[in-house]
Amino acid sequence: MEELPLSRAFTLIEPGPVILLTTHDGQADNIMTLTWSMVLDFSPTFAIATGPWNHSYAALRDTGECVLSIPSASMIDTAVGIGTCSGENTDKFEKFALTRAKARHVQAPLIRECIGQVECRVADITGRHNIIVLEGLAAWTGGTHADQRMIHAVGDGTFIADGERFDRKDMMRSKLPGGL
């Protein structure tokens, strides 16, 4: 085995899906790219990590709502581009030619080009670790997108796209919630 510097240990665990988080601050929509997220259990409860250094944070904190949008692997350059500019001086929907769609429960828009979306309300914000707990209100998936693969950030500027899917639902049935 080769030792990995402890400062890079997060690259072993980080690869959840890249998320495009949308907000609406009462005047404008914004999008930010997130790579730090987690599912908290089988309920629609999620946690993300962000803080005041991101332009979207104030809207997220003040409105208490957002949309988590999952881009496909074919959107990798869009996701990286969104993450490398600020909504403070950029209309990211316009710059990246993304289509807004009206959400059912929140003012933040859905992104029509994404393969999955979850409308959310903020349930808790922990200041010490900049963790925001979100409760899902509605979820959307699929559509007509040919590329259904998710992208995962490793944390070092490289990404992984989903590949072959292994179905073990029958083997895991006793551990899964009903209906899956």
Side-chain angles (χ1 to χ4, degrees):
M1 283 196 182
E2 182 179 330
E3 185 172 0
L4 180 69
L6 189 56
S7 64
R8 295 194 59 216
F10 70 93
T11 65
L12 298 173
I13 297 172
E14 181 172 331
V18 170
I19 295 171
L20 301 178
L21 180 138
T22 64
T23 55
H24 181 80
D25 67 4
Q27 295 182 6
D29 298 328
N30 193 35
I31 313 169
M32 69 177 286
T33 301
L34 284 172
T35 60
W36 296 337
S37 65
M38 65 184 271
V39 174
L40 296 181
D41 57 29
F42 286 119
S43 70
T45 305
F46 313 96
I48 60 170
T50 190
W53 57 87
N54 283 317
H55 178 68
S56 292
Y57 178 79
L60 184 59
R61 180 197 62 219
D62 295 346
T63 66
E65 58 183 45
C66 66
V67 173
L68 303 177
S69 298
I70 311 301
S72 68
S74 62
M75 294 178 67
I76 187 168
D77 291 338
T78 298
V80 172
I82 288 168
T84 57
C85 65
S86 175
E88 190 171 358
N89 52 25
T90 304
D91 178 339
K92 296 182 189 183
F93 279 92
E94 183 178 314
K95 179 175 177 135
F96 297 99
L98 296 171
T99 310
R100 293 170 174 90
K102 185 165 178 40
R104 183 182 296 163
H105 300 284
V106 300
Q107 293 300 308
L110 305 172
I111 302 173
R112 193 167 301 280
E113 290 78 8
C114 287
I115 60 175
Q117 330 243 358
V118 183
E119 297 178 40
C120 297
R121 289 215 193 284
V122 173
D124 191 19
I125 298 176
T126 65
R128 181 172 179 213
H129 295 291
N130 299 300
I131 303 292
I132 300 175
V133 178
L134 303 169
E135 293 178 352
L137 303 171
W140 313 95
T141 188
T144 60
H145 306 288
D147 187 359
Q148 293 290 310
R149 298 172 302 145
M150 291 184 226
I151 48 177
H152 307 272
V154 175
D156 62 357
T158 64
F159 295 81
I160 299 166
D162 286 344
E164 184 178 356
R165 186 175 288 229
F166 301 94
D167 184 344
R168 297 295 182 270
K169 287 180 184 176
D170 288 340
M171 183 183 274
M172 295 182 61
R173 187 71 54 212
S174 67
K175 301 293 182 188
L176 298 174
L180 289 181

